[in-house]
Amino acid sequence: MSELRGSAAIVGAYEHPLRVAPEKSEWLMQAESVIGAMADAGLERSDVDAFFTVATSPEAGYLRESAASMMCDYLNLRPRFVDETDIGGAAFGLFLNRAVMAIQAGVIETAVISYGACTRSQAVKVGTRNFGDLIGRPTMPFPDAFMEPYGTTIIGYIGMLMQRQMFEYGLTPEQSAAVAVTARQYAALNPDAFARRPITVDEVLSSPVIASPVHRLECCVITDGGGAIVLTTPDRATKLRKEPVWVLGFGEAVANSSGGYADWNRDFAGITRESADRAYAMAGIRPSDVDVAQVYDAFTIATILGLEGLGLCAPGEAGAFVEAGGIAPGGPLPVNTDGGGLCSNHPGRRGLFLLIEAVRQLRGEAPGYQVADPEFALVYGTGSAYMGVQGSAVAILSKDR
């Protein structure tokens, strides 16, 4: 897989500045983001020959089929191929991997990965309804139908993950709360972040319990949002208006590749480590080389488990590392520098915004919260078909090839 290292670059990135946009549709949010990313790259829509997206839509229950082809029609694109494979927040990492492979194979030259959703304005209930209700279909055809009828929800699953981490490694409520406090520290520096007011550990722990031991302020914000990135060949990348951000390595994994669903925490950490190890090996770096990390944080426990699964902290040590300021502004490992899903935005699938923020940091385009001269950025997305049926994607990006 070494031939894939540096075989494609991100040359355009755009994040829609609105977090609440009742006057816009998810399609318009996404279209404006694609146009913004193409302008950032200095390319035209006619240059696009691959298009990747998924969409969130309350009108269709939760998932809208044919999102990619519908967006191509909306934007008047005629790509050679499209993909809308959806594994939740990790989908955008998979899209990145496939775009890189297609570019390296010579099948395409320029790819766009985009997303748009008006989840907050359209009052989509994220994380607190069972899967059958969300998609508006009977539960029996699904592999997890033995669980779903009993009311297990995403937030209930997260509560069990945190309980297990507390039991097995001694994670404290204060350490988990410190993740949310740190996210607000970054968000306070980001003018586009949804929740910018600083908070304290005591405030987090005094907020309502949503699924014991998870408090409301340990859950992501629910916002509208849109974004897009553009990838292209090395030859084209070096001729455009901005310095390219190179994809040095990537990896992906699914839950059953780490041993089944008997232990959700083990599965979460296992697939994270599998995808990270593959990305590190392709990029030729170690976890200690990472300068800035964007870790999917729909909940504080996701950051804790992500840091450990990625090898950035030893098992059981992430809580103390965060509590000591390890991922905070000025700390040794800046994490979720825009405020993350906990504070900046989370329209339903946040994986694309992790890539956009990594590009900003590597380009030096994050005024007010810029990490000092980062060389390697790690992007980690996770997502689920349903609860423990997880998918993971890790990418290593750099400003140098």
Side-chain angles (χ1 to χ4, degrees):
M1 299 291 283
S2 60
E3 69 274 9
L4 291 170
R5 184 185 190 276
S7 61
I10 299 173
V11 294
Y14 181 87
E15 180 178 356
H16 206 292
L18 296 183
R19 301 299 190 261
V20 183
E23 73 282 5
K24 297 181 183 289
S25 69
E26 62 192 69
W27 306 107
L28 183 56
M29 292 286 282
Q30 189 169 173
E32 291 177 348
S33 299
V34 171
I35 292 168
M38 296 303 294
D40 185 58
L43 294 171
E44 302 295 330
R45 277 179 281 173
S46 58
D47 295 313
V48 178
D49 47 18
F51 187 78
F52 304 79
T53 191
V54 294
T56 304
S57 174
E59 292 89 357
Y62 189 62
L63 306 178
R64 185 194 290 276
E65 298 173 349
S66 303
S69 57
M70 291 175 72
M71 274 306 305
C72 286
D73 178 67
Y74 192 74
L75 286 163
N76 194 26
L77 301 177
R78 295 184 64 85
R80 299 180 188 177
F81 69 80
V82 298
D83 190 356
E84 55 185 67
T85 302
D86 187 6
I87 60 166
F92 306 98
L94 268 64
F95 292 156
L96 180 83
N97 304 351
R98 282 140 184 76
V100 170
M101 288 187 284
I103 289 170
Q104 195 275 340
V107 177
I108 64 170
E109 186 171 7
T110 300
V112 167
I113 303 172
S114 73
Y115 177 65
C118 294
T119 309
R120 186 177 186 87
S121 293
Q122 296 172 344
V124 179
K125 293 179 172 63
V126 179
T128 57
R129 295 173 61 187
N130 64 35
F131 196 62
D133 286 346
L134 286 172
I135 63 173
R137 299 176 182 170
T139 60
M140 290 310 293
F142 291 89
D144 289 298
F146 69 94
M147 284 194 303
E148 194 277 332
Y150 297 97
T152 308
T153 60
I154 293 173
I155 185 60
Y157 161 68
I158 293 298
M160 287 185 275
L161 288 180
M162 188 181 290
Q163 288 277 17
R164 182 68 185 182
Q165 193 75 359
M166 289 177 168
F167 170 78
E168 189 165 0
Y169 290 113
L171 176 72
T172 69
E174 290 77 14
Q175 290 170 347
S176 176
V179 176
V181 172
T182 300
R184 285 293 181 100
Q185 291 173 343
Y186 283 113
L189 304 173
N190 177 7
D192 291 328
F194 178 79
R196 301 184 64 207
R197 181 184 66 83
I199 55 176
T200 66
V201 168
D202 287 343
E203 282 183 89
V204 175
L205 298 181
S206 62
S207 65
V209 173
I210 305 301
S212 181
V214 182
H215 297 81
R216 183 170 64 194
L217 289 178
E218 294 173 294
C219 305
C220 66
V221 295
I222 298 176
T223 68
D224 302 338
I229 61 173
V230 184
L231 294 98
T232 196
T233 63
D235 182 63
R236 174 174 272 186
T238 56
K239 298 174 182 176
L240 298 176
R241 62 176 54 169
K242 292 186 177 180
E243 291 296 315
V245 171
W246 299 97
V247 182
L248 298 188
F250 57 80
E252 60 188 70
V254 294
N256 59 8
S257 62
S258 58
Y261 310 124
D263 185 330
W264 282 344
N265 288 58
R266 182 193 65 191
D267 294 337
F268 194 111
I271 62 170
T272 302
R273 194 54 194 254
E274 286 181 25
S275 51
D277 285 348
R278 291 163 185 159
Y280 292 138
M282 187 185 299
I285 71 167
R286 297 170 295 179
S288 59
D289 294 319
V290 173
D291 299 302
V292 59
Q294 309 302 332
V295 177
Y296 203 110
D297 63 337
F299 305 91
T300 55
I301 187 62
T303 302
I304 298 292
L305 294 176
L307 288 170
E308 296 178 5
L310 293 165
L312 300 172
C313 292
E317 295 184 4
F321 181 68
V322 173
E323 191 174 36
I327 69 172
L333 180 63
V335 172
N336 297 337
T337 44
D338 63 342
L342 289 169
C343 299
S344 181
N345 70 337
H346 198 298
R349 288 162 176 74
R350 182 171 155 79
L352 182 58
F353 304 104
L354 305 174
L355 290 163
I356 293 170
E357 175 61 15
V359 170
R360 270 197 295 257
Q361 290 294 333
L362 291 170
R363 285 177 167 181
E365 295 179 345
Y369 61 100
Q370 177 64 52
V371 174
D373 197 29
E375 181 179 1
F376 298 110
L378 180 148
V379 178
Y380 162 62
T382 185
S384 63
Y386 182 58
M387 313 311 166
V389 189
Q390 293 279 336
S392 173
V394 174
I396 306 295
L397 309 180
S398 178
K399 54 190 174 184
D400 296 316
R401 191 177 180 191

